[in-house]
Amino acid sequence: MAETGPIEDSLFEAPPMAEQERMVEAILFASAEPVTVSDLNARMPHGADAAEALEHLKKRYEGRGVSVVKVGDAWAIRTAPDLGFLMQKETVETRKLSRAAIETLAIVAYHQPATRAEIEEIRGVSVSRGTIDQLLELEWIRFGRRRMTPGRPVTYVVTQEFLDHFGLENARDLPGLKELRAAGLLDNRPPPGTLAPDETGDDEQAEMFEDES
Amino acid sequence: MAETGPIEDSLFEAPPMAEQERMVEAILFASAEPVTVSDLNARMPHGADAAEALEHLKKRYEGRGVSVVKVGDAWAIRTAPDLGFLMQKETVETRKLSRAAIETLAIVAYHQPATRAEIEEIRGVSVSRGTIDQLLELEWIRFGRRRMTPGRPVTYVVTQEFLDHFGLENARDLPGLKELRAAGLLDNRPPPGTLAPDETGDDEQAEMFEDES
Amino acid sequence: MPDGDHDFEAVEARLAAEALIVDVDGFEGPLDLLLTLSRTQKVDLRKISILGLAEQYLSFIDRAKTLRIELAADYLVMAAWLAFLKSRLLLPPDPEDEGPTGEELAAHLAFQLERLQAMRDAAAKLMARDQKGRDFFVRGIPEDVTRVRTIRYTATLLDLMQGYARIRTKDEFRPFTMDREHVMTLEQALERMRGLIGYAGDWTDLSSYLPDGWDGDPKRRRSATASNFAATLELAKNGAIEIRQTALFAPIQIRATPGG
């Protein structure tokens, strides 16, 4: 374990906050992917408080050409969206998503964790294998916990990459989520005459969104 | 890509310098390569002065965690040199000590001070230089006094570090054979590889090669 | 919908339906089609007339049939269900029937339509957000984190003690594995038994077959007994002898197979 100079010093005293802010700045600039607070702390000298340094850094970059953004429990630096027009060179041509894929993505995002059957129930049509595969490949959705109902179906949830791609701090910030929930449109309402739904569905969803915080 | 107001205006009038600075910042951040001043000017609205904006940006980043640096005749944002250590991630991998090393260490611990010849006699096979070196490097053994016999061979003894690692006050606290047996710590059967001396030799060789990896 | 505008709206709906039929492939299932049809009602989805919608859908299906357009099975299933729903909505409820009422079924269909519409709107809002790689960008020159790998070797006190014990007791183990003097091999026993078995017409204890000099020292007796037993099993397998044991742990007895 080659504990180098600065690190050894820090065993006794954390560097000043201004210095910690510089460190967080350097690490975030160096990474294209969001970096979690625990990763930051692990890379910074002992005793450093990345969370606090991040708050300072975020303020510092307000209104600048790049900004410090929160993605789930991680942080990243991204260019300001209003300057996107300067980046034609960097623009990534994404494969155009089918309507089925976009709707499936929205259903997973708003109803997560969502089973395939639930997606099909909402869209009124079967979900093709390719649609799910495409979203998995984009790393916008991933497998969640299996539902504790007969057949233990797999569930899908959205990923950090999804949040990052759409500039969301967490899944609770999805546009219109509150209104949809208030209107009961995210309820798992079974067709009349069928058995009661698995009650866990809603609970799990609530948990899911809490987890994201 | 919404071509918003300010850009259209800029066809006639350059954006304010603060805005130009933001633009340079965003472009330098997002570009995969250092960007020349003429490239910057080409990408920014007409009338913009990238060189001046760069100067402002460079000043702004002075003393920060990243800095605006000139690379050839182009510009880029780079980690501040003093924070380079943050770009290293130390991973500690834990490996089991090889059997040859454990046995050698055990002999030193039980028989210290022990010469290499004594270790070999007890183990019944020759001890590779690498095994001794590894134990020296781990600071679990060190050189003791030379034996006052012909050739004045070096001896090995265990270190304080060794005692700390194995939670011993003193090497004499190591249990004897009888106690080991009473405690059920003796294998009832010789492990494979100890059957014939030549086999052990092979074994050690194999371990030596593992050491190399 | 028996009001004055009815005819006009019906005509408009019919025209819309004609257009719909032409690109029936464009629909993502019956619910999608229903949602599109419901737009012709020009009301809030919450106030939609499900009965009217059912009629629209059924006439759509009829038209498709007359135009000999192949419809996927799920469209027809939906048509059958809507026909059933329509009858439920129109006929007085049967007190005997415990199933859901027509109103409940209609309410659920309305909920499904509203929910699908809501998800579509949400999807549109989502896609309208600033997107990475289109509106905002990541670091163009990420600096790789170089990994400095440190290997830490570990050993426990137990490893150490067992290692030492292993070396120091090597000699004690030698006789068991190395000393051929005290071992009777299966081959030896088999050869010997083959010679003796011809004389065993009556049941005889297996233990009596131990060769001289192998029944005293426990180590030698164990080895000889084990090999003898294995040899008798082999002989029994070949049909040369029979084996019996009258009770658990009773002496094992053997005899030559009569006439064998």
Side-chain angles (χ1 to χ4, degrees), chain A residues 105 108-109 112 140-142 156-160 162-163 171 212:
Chain A
L105 177 65
V108 172
Q112 66 174 343
W140 284 353
I141 65 170
R142 62 174 176 82
Y156 299 98
V157 295
V158 292
T159 61
Q160 176 175 286
F162 166 87
L163 298 177
E212 298 292 328

Side-chain angles (χ1 to χ4, degrees), chain B residues 113 115 118 144-155:
Chain B
T115 66
E118 285 162 357
R145 254 179 268 163
R146 282 183 185 274
R147 185 66 50 80
M148 287 308 166
T149 51
R152 293 176 41 82
V154 297
T155 63

Side-chain angles (χ1 to χ4, degrees), chain C residues 184 186-200 205-206 208-211 227-233 235 241 254:
Chain C
M184 174 176 272
L186 174 59
E187 288 72 26
Q188 286 168 341
L190 200 55
E191 197 166 316
R192 191 165 161 279
M193 290 294 280
R194 275 209 185 94
L196 291 173
I197 198 68
Y199 305 103
D205 280 5
L206 177 61
S208 66
Y209 283 87
L210 283 185
S227 294
N228 265 8
F229 178 60
T232 56
L233 289 178
L235 289 168
I241 59 165
I254 60 170

Side-chain angles (χ1 to χ4, degrees), chain A residues 1 29-30 43 78-79 81 84 87 90-92 99-100 102-103 106 110-111 121-125 161 164-168 180 183-186 189-192, chain C residues 28-32 46 100 104-105 108 111-112 114-116 118-120 122-123 125-127 129-139 142-143 145 150 152:
Chain A
M1 247 190 315
F29 258 88
R43 286 171 66 180
R78 301 286 180 245
T79 62
M87 310 294 166
E90 282 73 32
T91 303
V92 193
R99 205 172 91 187
I102 293 172
E103 285 180 17
Y110 284 81
H111 290 261
E121 152 81 11
I122 292 171
R123 295 196 63 233
V125 68
E161 174 57 29
D164 189 18
H165 186 92
F166 291 98
L168 292 162
L180 287 172
L185 289 168
L186 300 182
R189 200 184 295 180
Chain C
E28 303 231 347
L31 212 52
D32 184 26
R46 297 208 156 190
E104 282 167 346
L105 293 172
H108 187 71
F111 168 73
Q112 281 179 293
E114 199 190 346
R115 182 173 61 179
L116 180 59
M119 280 300 109
R120 294 229 162 124
K125 273 187 212 152
L126 187 64
M127 298 314 280
R129 287 185 69 85
D130 290 332
Q131 291 184 38
K132 188 170 79 174
R134 188 187 77 181
D135 306 293
F136 61 89
F137 297 83
V138 306
R139 179 73 159 129
E143 280 172 61
V145 175
T150 329
R152 184 159 58 190

